[in-house]
Amino acid sequence: MIDFDVLTNLAAREGIERIGVGVVVRDSSGRLLMIRRSPRDVPPGLWEYPGGSREDGEAVPDGAARELAEETGLTGLPLEYARHLDFTNQCGRRMRQFVFTTVVPDGAEIALSPDHDGHQWAHPDALPPTSDGQRTVVEWLTRRLGVPGWRPVGGYLTTIARPSSYGCLLVTDPQGRVLGMRSTINPDVWNFPGGNVEHGETPFTTALREAEEELGLDLAAENPEVIARRRLVAVIHEQAGTEYPVPICGYVFDGGVLTTEQQARIRLDPAEHTEWRFETAHDWRQLMQPARYQRLRQVLRAHRSGTPLYLERPAPADDDFEGVLVLVTDLAGRLLMHRREDLPSMPWPGHWTPVGGWREADESAEETAVREVREEAGIEITGPRALPDPHTGLGLPLTRVLHAVWDGPESDLRLGDEGLAVRMVPLDEVLDLKVPPYLRHYLPMLAEAAGLPFGRTS
């Protein structure tokens, strides 16, 4: 659980020259085991809790257990890491002691090493002569133990949810399509370049390492300006599930754009992935499992916003959407319709559809609806209200459907940067146009809301 390699490397960066270990042993009555250095030791006669220097190549917890066994004969005890103590040893070298603690029954038998000639069980407020540093550790530990429910961090960490973490990169091509790689183990899964954080790594260094292993490309060399920014796109917290039964915290970074020439040098690791491709968000919907497609849409929203977003999966009930469909009717009961361009890789090419679009940043569904209508039709709506969620199979994934009534003249309509035309269409004429099938579900609702008859179903 605790990566002491990381902690010792941190100590070295802080100028610590030696690593030590110590164990505060408590009995059932709350007394502490203190042992006295023999006359030939330095300094002679000093009382201390068991401890010493870690040996070369020795794991820190193993060193603590060894020192405890050598100096007291106590073995097989569960040791909980508590804190560290920095001091200068007799040789003038800066030392960091990692302090553990454990509990033994009253009257536990102690077998001293030749380096010590006495021991006692002392109350924390009546310690024998010891160093200022050790006294500070004992007093700190005693105060903490007096707090109901407190336990040393080494033990506390075993009681809490321990999420794994990963780092990955969002990589696009010059057309803005997103890179995905098909998993060798599960061919239904497409991944971003990335993987789980290993000991001593950060999510960002993990993402770069994994990308090089999985793509055969050093993205720091391929896209140096982008990678140097270490731009965080999103942090995603995923609750434990049946597929992966512990929480996961993911960090998505901007991996930049790969040109055609760079793409030609991609070399997959066949043990991990069988193919790669760049696809639009719309086309990835046909290839990805719904949950992974939702994560892709969330990440792309964060990428568009230019500001890192914190995202949760599953998303909260009021945040579980990535796009909106806005059914705008006027006082005559007509529906605002938008003629889409006939382009591949977009939803409903060449169709007439209500206004809609993808969510931006942390917008609410209502804010997204107002913005999309303004951008696509040039008018302002107020008070959009949510309609019942679309039926399964209507082609509206991750979409919130809203209705608003607009009382302005049709002459105010202005086509925005997308599409071919906008106009108001009587409800009974909507199905004469080339429209998506989901409108058969919503037209009766709109007619009822407007107080108009509506009997057409084909």
Side-chain angles (χ1 to χ4, degrees):
M1 169 55 67
I2 299 176
D3 192 336
F4 284 99
D5 289 339
V6 171
L7 299 186
T8 53
N9 289 335
L10 175 64
R13 291 198 297 270
E14 295 176 0
I16 299 297
E17 299 170 273
R18 294 281 294 175
I19 296 297
V21 292
V23 183
V24 178
V25 180
R26 299 130 52 206
D27 69 7
S28 302
S29 299
R31 298 174 302 176
L32 308 179
L33 175 62
M34 301 294 288
I35 55 179
R36 185 177 59 198
R37 293 188 180 186
S38 67
R40 61 178 177 274
D41 206 345
V42 179
L46 182 70
W47 291 85
E48 60 189 1
Y49 50 72
S53 294
R54 181 189 63 161
E55 296 181 352
D56 292 341
E58 187 176 44
V60 169
D62 293 345
R66 175 187 52 76
E67 285 287 344
L68 180 62
E70 290 177 356
E71 296 187 346
T72 68
L74 297 172
T75 60
L77 297 174
L79 304 182
E80 293 183 340
Y81 173 66
R83 59 166 288 170
H84 75 266
L85 168 65
D86 289 346
F87 61 95
T88 301
N89 67 11
Q90 291 86 355
C91 300
R93 305 178 71 179
R94 293 187 63 192
M95 193 161 187
R96 175 160 295 174
Q97 181 187 76
F98 291 105
V99 183
F100 296 77
T101 186
T102 191
V103 178
V104 298
D106 288 357
E109 185 175 348
I110 303 300
L112 296 176
S113 72
D115 294 330
H116 296 87
D117 64 359
H119 78 277
Q120 63 171 286
W121 292 95
H123 288 283
D125 57 356
L127 296 178
T130 187
S131 69
D132 291 340
Q134 293 215 350
R135 187 179 298 277
T136 296
V137 168
V138 168
E139 292 175 348
W140 174 89
L141 182 60
T142 301
R143 286 196 304 271
R144 294 297 179 92
L145 289 169
V147 177
W150 184 87
R151 65 182 298 184
V153 62
Y156 171 71
L157 290 176
T158 66
T159 69
I160 60 175
R162 301 184 298 281
S164 64
S165 60
Y166 67 86
C168 63
L169 296 166
L170 176 65
V171 179
T172 59
D173 69 1
Q175 289 74 47
R177 299 178 300 176
V178 178
L179 173 64
M181 303 176 298
R182 187 192 289 270
S183 168
T184 299
I185 298 173
N186 185 352
D188 292 333
V189 171
W190 292 82
N191 296 315
F192 291 159
N196 290 328
V197 175
E198 297 182 355
H199 291 304
E201 286 186 328
T202 67
F204 185 76
T205 57
T206 294
L208 284 183
R209 174 184 56 76
E210 289 281 349
E212 185 167 6
E213 293 174 359
E214 294 172 348
L215 297 173
L217 296 178
D218 178 1
L219 291 183
E222 301 288 344
N223 295 327
E225 293 184 4
V226 172
I227 298 302
R229 294 189 184 100
R230 297 175 176 246
R231 179 190 165 195
L232 177 64
V233 175
V235 177
I236 306 174
H237 184 274
E238 301 188 44
Q239 292 286 33
T242 54
E243 180 181 355
Y244 205 78
V246 296
I248 311 169
C249 190
Y251 299 79
V252 184
F253 299 93
D254 187 358
V257 176
L258 288 183
T259 65
T260 302
E261 184 275 328
Q262 289 171 316
Q263 294 172 35
R265 291 188 276 107
I266 291 178
R267 298 292 183 269
L268 295 181
D269 177 358
E272 296 201 51
H273 300 100
T274 58
E275 64 174 294
W276 60 270
R277 61 172 66 182
F278 287 88
E279 298 287 359
T280 66
H282 175 69
D283 287 341
W284 273 126
R285 178 191 159 204
Q286 312 302 322
L287 297 168
M288 285 185 169
Q289 300 164 335
R292 289 180 178 269
Y293 178 67
Q294 181 179 19
R295 182 172 62 185
L296 171 65
R297 296 268 24 158
Q298 289 179 308
V299 169
L300 291 178
R301 169 162 59 94
H303 190 258
R304 289 195 306 271
S305 76
T307 301
L309 295 183
Y310 167 70
L311 307 168
E312 292 183 354
R313 290 179 39 79
D318 61 349
D319 199 46
D320 194 16
F321 77 99
E322 289 301 318
V324 298
L325 182 71
V326 195
L327 304 172
V328 180
T329 56
D330 64 10
L331 299 180
R334 299 178 300 173
L335 177 63
L336 176 63
M337 297 293 285
H338 180 253
R339 177 74 181 276
R340 300 179 68 81
E341 297 167 311
D342 193 358
L343 298 174
S345 301
M346 68 180 300
W348 310 113
H351 285 62
W352 285 88
T353 71
V355 170
W358 294 111
R359 181 184 186 184
E360 297 293 342
D362 57 355
E363 288 178 329
S364 67
E366 292 75 16
E367 290 169 338
T368 304
V370 170
R371 176 182 53 76
E372 286 289 340
V373 171
R374 180 190 309 119
E375 292 176 355
E376 295 189 9
I379 61 174
E380 295 291 332
I381 60 170
T382 58
R385 299 174 61 183
L387 290 176
D389 289 336
H391 291 174
T392 302
L394 289 183
L396 297 172
L398 310 177
T399 302
R400 193 72 55 82
V401 183
L402 301 98
H403 173 232
V405 176
W406 177 59
D407 60 1
E410 188 173 359
S411 58
D412 284 352
L413 295 179
R414 297 287 184 275
L415 179 66
D417 294 336
E418 300 177 4
L420 301 175
V422 288
R423 66 185 177 95
M424 305 300 298
V425 179
L427 295 184
D428 274 349
E429 298 178 11
V430 169
L431 295 182
D432 294 332
L433 304 173
K434 183 181 181 181
V435 296
Y438 59 72
L439 279 172
R440 300 182 189 279
H441 175 71
Y442 285 107
L443 285 175
M445 294 185 193
L446 296 178
E448 182 179 0
L452 297 173
F454 188 82
R456 295 189 54 177
T457 59
S458 62

